[in-house]
Amino acid sequence: MREWPKMLLNALLITLISVILSRMVIYELTSVDALAPAAKVSDWHLTDIYNSIASDRLSLPGDPDIVIIDIDTASRGTIAKLIEAVNYCKPRAIGIDVIFRHTSDDGLFEAIQNCDNIVLPYVLKYDGQTRSLVKQEDSFFYGKLEGKNFGAVNFNADNVYDVVRQFTPFFVVGEERVENFSTALARLAYPEKYEELIARMQESEIIYYPTADYSPLSISDVLDDSELCRQDIISELNGKVVLIGNLHNINDMFMTPLGDSVPGLLIHARTLATILYGRYISHSSVVVDWVIAFICCFILALAGQMRKLSSNFKDTLSFLVRILQVAILYAFIFFGARRFIEHNQYMDFSASLMMVGLCALATDVYKGLTEIFRLIYGKIRSYIMNK
């Protein structure tokens, strides 16, 4: 029993060392150059695991209020006919995720101007001189259409290596607040859902990815041979939010937490679904996350100290400590996924995973420091005694 106070103290000190090491590792990882390819290739987040598990286990129906139409390589004149046909079906809102760079007499301008509930894309870019976002004037529609809604189609990703996990509801461009593309669509289609988003007052929201795969329509599904609206499609588009864009543009592909590269239009659809169905992911408290990490690491460190209680079964106890370490790591993933799936809550066990993983290193550091201090103390004491 006399060993317990010493073991508890040792376990506490090992845990404190693990905290220090964890903070150092986190700092080093976050200080890596944002443009380093190696950092982008290793772009990973704990929600990626939760999203993948939820996607495999959940059997969610498709988002019934969202319809996607793929324009593929259609001409501008055909796209104009498509917009007219979709508008004829009286959808709640129409989102056009296409940048039209050149003006021409193809009826496209008139088709868009005649839609009252359409949202067109803004592309924002970062100005290195002013250190702020500015609108990239690539579409000939900017400044020419009257009373139309625009939304920024930018994702929280700098290049193809980035994983799109979050969306920004609003962007600040100079003194103007520009809505996200999906935010603008939600405002037009479901104002009450838009108000819920505003009330959350979050700078960014996690996109809820574990939804059923969408079944995009082609232009031939909407237009007949005379480029008029098919009668059997009216009910399918009526009262829906219709997203129109190209699903085959290799320059508009982005990585997602599910591990695949998908078109930007599908990410907009999942972003919109997050807003419309209130699939917001709440975060656990940072204090709670670190308290859990501290407790788990302390238990593991104490278990390691308990190996000293038996000299005959030291190797067996070491094996059991490793089993305990693996069990703790599995518990983080299991309970984190349960909270994510059942309660839409993100339990950030990254600190716990790191501290538990560094516990063995912290133990070695503690042993090394203890040995050094004992050696120094012995030298000083011997010097004093001889003097």
Side-chain angles (χ1 to χ4, degrees):
M1 296 296 294
R2 289 179 298 177
E3 293 290 330
W4 278 100
K6 184 179 179 181
M7 288 193 302
L8 289 172
L9 178 60
N10 290 344
L12 178 61
L13 293 175
I14 290 172
T15 304
L16 291 175
I17 292 174
S18 184
V19 171
I20 295 172
L21 292 175
S22 299
R23 298 298 297 176
M24 291 173 60
V25 170
I26 290 174
Y27 174 78
E28 289 300 326
L29 289 178
T30 55
S31 64
V32 175
D33 185 358
L35 298 179
K40 296 308 178 185
V41 171
S42 60
D43 187 9
W44 178 86
H45 198 267
L46 196 55
T47 52
D48 297 352
I49 294 179
Y50 297 158
N51 269 294
S52 296
I53 294 175
S55 181
D56 291 338
R57 294 185 181 180
L58 293 179
S59 180
L60 295 176
D63 300 324
D65 300 301
I66 301 174
V67 177
I68 296 175
I69 301 178
D70 179 21
I71 62 171
D72 200 1
T73 57
S75 66
R76 289 161 56 107
T78 301
I79 296 174
K81 294 293 184 180
L82 175 66
I83 293 173
E84 292 176 350
V86 172
N87 189 39
Y88 175 78
C89 298
K90 300 187 184 307
R92 283 181 177 266
I94 303 173
I96 307 294
D97 185 23
V98 183
I99 300 294
F100 298 103
R101 303 184 186 278
H102 308 289
T103 183
S104 61
D105 185 18
D106 47 27
L108 185 59
F109 185 90
E110 292 76 12
I112 293 176
Q113 184 65 63
N114 292 333
C115 288
D116 296 328
N117 57 346
I118 197 168
V119 176
L120 298 169
Y122 266 141
V123 176
L124 306 180
K125 64 178 181 179
Y126 182 75
D127 189 335
Q129 294 183 346
T130 62
R131 296 184 179 276
S132 61
L133 289 173
V134 295
K135 295 174 185 176
Q136 190 169 328
E137 303 291 338
D138 282 338
S139 175
F140 79 90
F141 288 134
Y142 296 158
K144 297 182 174 64
L145 292 166
E146 298 180 2
K148 297 306 171 187
N149 297 279
F150 289 84
V153 294
N154 299 65
F155 294 119
N156 292 18
D158 296 325
N159 52 52
V160 295
Y161 295 111
D162 281 344
V163 177
V164 181
R165 300 183 181 92
Q166 300 175 318
F167 73 95
T168 302
F170 300 95
F171 297 89
V172 177
V173 181
E175 298 181 355
E176 181 183 1
R177 191 173 75 161
V178 176
E179 294 176 326
N180 178 286
F181 186 68
S182 299
T183 302
L185 285 167
R187 175 175 53 80
L188 288 178
Y190 294 91
E192 67 281 6
K193 298 298 181 180
Y194 172 81
E195 293 299 330
E196 290 179 10
L197 175 65
I198 299 302
R200 290 177 58 82
M201 301 178 64
Q202 299 292 320
E203 291 186 4
S204 63
E205 297 280 2
I206 297 177
I207 301 173
Y208 192 86
Y209 277 99
T211 57
D213 291 334
Y214 294 93
S215 299
L217 300 176
S218 64
I219 290 183
S220 61
D221 293 326
V222 181
L223 300 179
D224 58 20
D225 294 337
S226 301
E227 291 190 322
L228 298 175
C229 181
R230 297 170 62 99
Q231 293 301 307
D232 58 342
I233 203 69
I234 295 178
S235 60
E236 190 170 343
L237 302 184
N238 181 256
K240 308 294 178 62
V241 180
V242 180
L243 303 181
I244 300 175
N246 189 346
L247 298 178
H248 305 279
N249 184 359
I250 60 174
N251 296 319
D252 191 39
M253 297 288 181
F254 299 87
M255 293 299 297
T256 71
L258 300 182
D260 51 356
S261 181
V262 303
L265 191 64
L266 294 184
I267 298 179
H268 288 308
R270 282 185 163 89
T271 302
L272 180 60
T274 301
I275 301 172
L276 298 188
Y277 305 118
R279 296 170 179 159
Y280 299 112
I281 306 298
S282 62
H283 292 258
S284 58
S285 169
V286 176
V287 175
V288 172
D289 294 336
W290 278 99
V291 168
I292 293 175
F294 191 92
I295 292 174
C296 291
C297 186
F298 178 79
I299 293 174
L300 188 61
L302 181 59
Q305 291 296 305
M306 290 175 63
R307 292 179 298 176
K308 301 177 181 179
L309 296 178
S310 175
S311 58
N312 295 328
F313 300 98
K314 197 170 184 179
D315 291 337
T316 301
L317 291 174
S318 297
F319 171 71
L320 293 177
V321 169
R322 294 295 170 253
I323 293 297
L324 176 62
Q325 186 177 26
V326 173
I328 291 175
L329 295 175
Y330 176 79
F332 292 150
I333 302 300
F334 177 79
F335 288 108
R338 288 286 297 273
R339 295 295 298 180
F340 188 87
I341 293 173
E342 298 177 4
H343 302 280
N344 282 15
Q345 185 180 50
Y346 169 46
M347 297 291 294
D348 188 1
F349 287 127
S350 56
S352 299
L353 290 169
M354 190 169 296
M355 284 186 61
V356 170
L358 292 173
C359 186
L361 175 60
T363 301
D364 292 337
V365 172
Y366 175 70
K367 289 180 179 179
L369 292 176
T370 302
E371 190 173 280
I372 293 173
F373 288 147
R374 283 177 180 173
L375 179 61
I376 294 175
Y377 175 75
K379 293 288 185 181
I380 295 175
R381 183 179 179 183
S382 176
Y383 175 78
I384 295 175
M385 293 292 290
N386 292 332
K387 189 175 181 181

